[in-house]
Amino acid sequence: MRPYLILIFTIFLIGTINVKAQKEDERQLISIPLTTTYTPSEYNGGIQNWGITQDTSGYIYIANNYGLLEFDGATWNKYAIAGATKVRTVLVEEISNRIYVGGQKQLGYFEHTKSGISYHSLVDRIPSNVVVDEIWDLVAFNNEIYINVNGTLALLKNDQIKILDNVNDVEFITSIDDELLAGSTNGIYRLKQDSTTFELLENSEGHSYRGVSKWGNKYILFTYDGDIFYYENKKLKSIKTSIDSFLKTSKINKVLKLENQTIVLGTQNNGLVIIDKDLKPILHLTKNRGLNHRTVIALYEDDFNNLWVGLNNGICVVELGSPFSLINENVGLEGTGYSAAKLNDEIYLGTSSGVFVPNEALGDMDARAGYSVLTGSEGLVNSISILDKKLILGHHEGAFILNEGKIEEFSNETGFWGFKKFAKNKLIGGTYNGFFLFKNLDIPELDKSLKGLSESSRVFEFEDDSTLWMTHGYKGAYKIKFKSDSINQLSHYGSSDGFPSDILISVYKIDKELIFTAESGIYQYSQELDEFTPHPFLNEWFRNRHVSKIKQAGDRIFYIAGGELGLMQKKSIGIYESEEKQFKKINSYISDDLENINIINDDNILIGAKEGFILYQSILDKPIKDSYNTYLKNVDITNLDDELSSISGSFFESASIDSPKLIRFEYSAPFYDGLSDLKYSYRLKPYDESWSEWTNTNWKEYTNLPAKNYEFEVKSVNVYGNESKVSTYSFTINPRWYESELAYTLYSFIILVIFTSVLYTREKKHKTEKEILNLNKEKEIRSKEREIHEFSEKTNQEIQNLKNESLKKEIDHKNSQLASVTMHLLSKNEFVMSIRKKLGDALTTKDNSDNLSKIVRSIDKNIDEDEAWETFAHHFDQVHGNFLHKLKQEVKLTPQETKLCAYLKMNMSTKDIANLMNITIRGVELARYRLRKKLGISRKVNLVEFLDNY
């Protein structure tokens, strides 16, 4: 036995003895441990479970009707044996880690291999003269295995089986206190030291034994019919116990001595009973009382001191090593637990169904005989108060007192929450509608109701004899000052007075000091400031949490914060240590309606549960197992052809895997303390960057992972928040043939050739394209140049046209001016000629002859020298490109000839020319003749055209 387990269970035994050593008239709390039930549909097997054991990793193996069951803490697996026969017994041999099984006409072992568990039959090793109908027991002792072959003892060693002829009609084989014993209808046999021979314990014959235990040198023998014997000094003595009648009708199937030295008796008809060394019953479990069936056919205690019970229909795990147990309807307590108290060695439990008291003893082991309701207390019990050694009930239907063992009503006012002592011999009760005062504590009588406050008054505490504090669930806190038993002053406090809000405020007394719990944090009242400030010590623990209940028990402070139970343990003056881990497994049981903690004594704490109460026995507390393992159980690999292969966890090594389409990891952590709260986290390096979130799922799949080196890691966290050791599996995914180095070399060469060809082709193509491009560019350039030239010419032509048009307009304008001047000259000369003619006619008169002659000569002169010609010549040269100027430079002409050239250039008629030149038409002809001669042109040449083209 492990040393620390011996210490723990010695403490457990001492605690049990201490509880039993209290006053004999003190009735004990009857509770049932926390249990977990597995049905056939959950473990996917048959109804009957004949044997249970555990391997070195913590896995549980069970002999089931359908084969071997394996439980790894997360999942159930089933393995059939040859012939698919029923398995009756199972044994894990620690050295080889083989799992030996025996059953109907079958004996063999399961062995872990790389591909999983494989079965090897040994039935052919049994001598042919032995009838092999059933293999009932397999027991390891001194590195050898002893077998019960249909009532015959056999020895298995080195896979060889030897029949032990001196023992027959064997009912069971068991190893206890370093001895191997066999029970037979012929008596009890014991294996001799350093031998394979059994010897009969003298005078033990005559009974059908089903189990044996031992205290010192004294054997305790149990028969199927419920008889119990002591065997000592070769004497067999029948023992009478308080449960004889129970055992006789129940029939004993199995006997198991636990590490805490108590004994478990599994029965055929009535579950199991645990008895102490004095054969007194400690615990009875049966159907609807912790178990789901009455017939027990297998018992086993695991490494966590849980009791595994193989039933005729299912499996139950009983947490015997836990300090927590339940008091509920399974042991006769009905309703939700609201209050509990102890008076005169009697324990009273108040629920939504009344006040219950434990019965004096287990009695006839009736499954529902643990508690009885006190007549008159039926209904909702809000509180049980012990005041001046009187038990007073705050009840939904009124106020009651326990008087001489009977419940008596002393107020029928509806809804009393609770009571406090007021003054010397008075009582104050808080109700649904304020407070009431009572006098005479022996039998309380109504004094009066307190006027001025009609709020629901459930939580209240006295600060001193004249000051009462009452807190309301959603209206804040009230300070009540009394004077002459009446309310003298009433003050209200809420969020404006230091509290975070008006809701969830309660008042308690810790170390004779009033403290106030709020929506968050814990506060104290300051008289000087008349407001609330954070408590200097307690608020540091609960500044961000709501404490719904707090209760002091000596140096310990129990509390419920956020629906979770905790304990502040005093280590030294002013120094506490908070403990919450060990309570996590029972938080789900705690009631969320009027949470309550009840101190029965230092070692028995009752917490209100949704059904009944949770019993916490601190003496049974043990260190939490901090170190445990998470095991990678299987790796299943599905390749590209959908073929499945597996690697068993017992043979994990660094592996190479070819072409996995899917890879699945299965893992587990056989930590059987708060099993349902176990969670897992994993990561695949380097694929996953970080650990996954915690999850209840115990497997993980990856698909189409690329070829690379990987390392899969998995860990778990238990209900106490402790993480397991990390389990690691390294593997390599090999590249497919087209991913090999040779393939990549070939790929590189092909790529290089292709790349080179592409480069060459592209270069050639580029060169050709470049030439074509250059030609096209040249064509395009030439085309552009032509377009530009054409455009330029067109533009120049347009410009020239515009210039010509402009010049034409200007010439037209000049011609217009020239025509105007010419017309002016013509008009002027015509006028002058007419005057000259008239004057000439007047000259015929003698008297005016001289004067008129002078006038005529003056006019002639004016006609010849009029400056109008200069103006005309100027405009003419502008229009005709300096025609007159150039003509004068090339041909020596007279002024009259110059004028004639100008007039001819203008294509004027001979008549107009004559008028302008003041000569006759004949004179014009003569002038034209002379001009031809000077210009050197013949008569055949048109003079006007010549001048026009000059």
Side-chain angles (χ1 to χ4, degrees), residues 323-337:
F324 303 103
S325 54
L326 302 177
I327 303 174
N328 53 30
E329 197 162 347
N330 287 333
V331 291
L333 183 79
E334 300 174 2
T336 300

mmCIF file of all heavy atoms in Angstrom, residues 323-337:
data_model
loop_
_atom_site.group_PDB
_atom_site.id
_atom_site.type_symbol
_atom_site.label_atom_id
_atom_site.label_comp_id
_atom_site.label_asym_id
_atom_site.label_seq_id
_atom_site.Cartn_x
_atom_site.Cartn_y
_atom_site.Cartn_z
ATOM 1 N N PRO A 323 -14.711 13.981 0.737
ATOM 2 C CA PRO A 323 -15.275 14.545 1.974
ATOM 3 C C PRO A 323 -16.713 15.028 1.787
ATOM 4 O O PRO A 323 -17.333 15.481 2.741
ATOM 5 C CB PRO A 323 -14.348 15.722 2.272
ATOM 6 C CG PRO A 323 -13.841 16.147 0.934
ATOM 7 C CD PRO A 323 -13.729 14.885 0.120
ATOM 8 N N PHE A 324 -17.227 14.916 0.564
ATOM 9 C CA PHE A 324 -18.580 15.385 0.282
ATOM 10 C C PHE A 324 -19.525 14.202 0.102
ATOM 11 O O PHE A 324 -19.177 13.187 -0.497
ATOM 12 C CB PHE A 324 -18.598 16.231 -1.001
ATOM 13 C CG PHE A 324 -17.671 17.395 -0.964
ATOM 14 C CD1 PHE A 324 -16.461 17.360 -1.640
ATOM 15 C CD2 PHE A 324 -17.988 18.529 -0.237
ATOM 16 C CE1 PHE A 324 -15.595 18.434 -1.613
ATOM 17 C CE2 PHE A 324 -17.138 19.619 -0.199
ATOM 18 C CZ PHE A 324 -15.934 19.563 -0.884
ATOM 19 N N SER A 325 -20.716 14.361 0.636
ATOM 20 C CA SER A 325 -21.775 13.385 0.425
ATOM 21 C C SER A 325 -23.103 14.130 0.386
ATOM 22 O O SER A 325 -23.173 15.324 0.689
ATOM 23 C CB SER A 325 -21.777 12.321 1.524
ATOM 24 O OG SER A 325 -21.851 12.919 2.811
ATOM 25 N N LEU A 326 -24.145 13.429 -0.006
ATOM 26 C CA LEU A 326 -25.447 14.061 -0.213
ATOM 27 C C LEU A 326 -26.482 13.532 0.765
ATOM 28 O O LEU A 326 -26.541 12.328 1.043
ATOM 29 C CB LEU A 326 -25.923 13.820 -1.647
ATOM 30 C CG LEU A 326 -25.006 14.317 -2.766
ATOM 31 C CD1 LEU A 326 -25.583 13.929 -4.122
ATOM 32 C CD2 LEU A 326 -24.816 15.819 -2.689
ATOM 33 N N ILE A 327 -27.283 14.454 1.272
ATOM 34 C CA ILE A 327 -28.446 14.095 2.091
ATOM 35 C C ILE A 327 -29.660 14.554 1.291
ATOM 36 O O ILE A 327 -29.949 15.749 1.195
ATOM 37 C CB ILE A 327 -28.403 14.781 3.463
ATOM 38 C CG1 ILE A 327 -27.113 14.419 4.209
ATOM 39 C CG2 ILE A 327 -29.620 14.393 4.301
ATOM 40 C CD1 ILE A 327 -26.934 15.162 5.511
ATOM 41 N N ASN A 328 -30.354 13.602 0.706
ATOM 42 C CA ASN A 328 -31.473 13.953 -0.160
ATOM 43 C C ASN A 328 -32.552 12.881 -0.069
ATOM 44 O O ASN A 328 -32.570 12.070 0.864
ATOM 45 C CB ASN A 328 -31.002 14.167 -1.600
ATOM 46 C CG ASN A 328 -30.207 12.984 -2.125
ATOM 47 O OD1 ASN A 328 -30.424 11.845 -1.716
ATOM 48 N ND2 ASN A 328 -29.277 13.247 -3.033
ATOM 49 N N GLU A 329 -33.401 12.864 -1.051
ATOM 50 C CA GLU A 329 -34.546 11.954 -1.006
ATOM 51 C C GLU A 329 -34.119 10.488 -1.050
ATOM 52 O O GLU A 329 -34.866 9.614 -0.630
ATOM 53 C CB GLU A 329 -35.500 12.288 -2.155
ATOM 54 C CG GLU A 329 -36.892 11.701 -1.963
ATOM 55 C CD GLU A 329 -37.924 12.380 -2.832
ATOM 56 O OE1 GLU A 329 -37.623 13.458 -3.400
ATOM 57 O OE2 GLU A 329 -39.040 11.842 -2.939
ATOM 58 N N ASN A 330 -32.908 10.234 -1.559
ATOM 59 C CA ASN A 330 -32.425 8.851 -1.574
ATOM 60 C C ASN A 330 -32.219 8.280 -0.181
ATOM 61 O O ASN A 330 -32.185 7.068 -0.001
ATOM 62 C CB ASN A 330 -31.111 8.769 -2.350
ATOM 63 C CG ASN A 330 -31.329 8.915 -3.839
ATOM 64 O OD1 ASN A 330 -32.387 8.587 -4.351
ATOM 65 N ND2 ASN A 330 -30.330 9.429 -4.537
ATOM 66 N N VAL A 331 -32.046 9.156 0.801
ATOM 67 C CA VAL A 331 -31.915 8.686 2.192
ATOM 68 C C VAL A 331 -33.082 9.177 3.046
ATOM 69 O O VAL A 331 -32.993 9.207 4.275
ATOM 70 C CB VAL A 331 -30.574 9.128 2.804
ATOM 71 C CG1 VAL A 331 -29.429 8.391 2.156
ATOM 72 C CG2 VAL A 331 -30.371 10.638 2.693
ATOM 73 N N GLY A 332 -34.168 9.574 2.405
ATOM 74 C CA GLY A 332 -35.380 9.908 3.136
ATOM 75 C C GLY A 332 -35.587 11.373 3.415
ATOM 76 O O GLY A 332 -36.552 11.739 4.092
ATOM 77 N N LEU A 333 -34.704 12.267 2.913
ATOM 78 C CA LEU A 333 -34.871 13.703 3.134
ATOM 79 C C LEU A 333 -35.487 14.314 1.889
ATOM 80 O O LEU A 333 -34.909 14.256 0.813
ATOM 81 C CB LEU A 333 -33.529 14.361 3.440
ATOM 82 C CG LEU A 333 -33.611 15.854 3.760
ATOM 83 C CD1 LEU A 333 -34.083 16.056 5.199
ATOM 84 C CD2 LEU A 333 -32.269 16.531 3.554
ATOM 85 N N GLU A 334 -36.639 14.950 2.057
ATOM 86 C CA GLU A 334 -37.351 15.510 0.920
ATOM 87 C C GLU A 334 -37.155 17.021 0.834
ATOM 88 O O GLU A 334 -37.019 17.700 1.847
ATOM 89 C CB GLU A 334 -38.849 15.196 1.043
ATOM 90 C CG GLU A 334 -39.163 13.710 1.084
ATOM 91 C CD GLU A 334 -40.641 13.452 1.349
ATOM 92 O OE1 GLU A 334 -41.391 14.437 1.453
ATOM 93 O OE2 GLU A 334 -41.029 12.280 1.462
ATOM 94 N N GLY A 335 -37.155 17.541 -0.403
ATOM 95 C CA GLY A 335 -37.159 18.979 -0.614
ATOM 96 C C GLY A 335 -35.777 19.611 -0.731
ATOM 97 O O GLY A 335 -34.747 18.973 -0.571
ATOM 98 N N THR A 336 -35.805 20.940 -1.017
ATOM 99 C CA THR A 336 -34.585 21.748 -1.098
ATOM 100 C C THR A 336 -34.147 22.155 0.293
ATOM 101 O O THR A 336 -34.972 22.540 1.124
ATOM 102 C CB THR A 336 -34.848 23.006 -1.951
ATOM 103 O OG1 THR A 336 -35.250 22.606 -3.254
ATOM 104 C CG2 THR A 336 -33.613 23.883 -2.042
ATOM 105 N N GLY A 337 -32.845 22.073 0.569
ATOM 106 C CA GLY A 337 -32.339 22.391 1.903
ATOM 107 C C GLY A 337 -32.202 23.883 2.130
ATOM 108 O O GLY A 337 -31.572 24.586 1.339
#
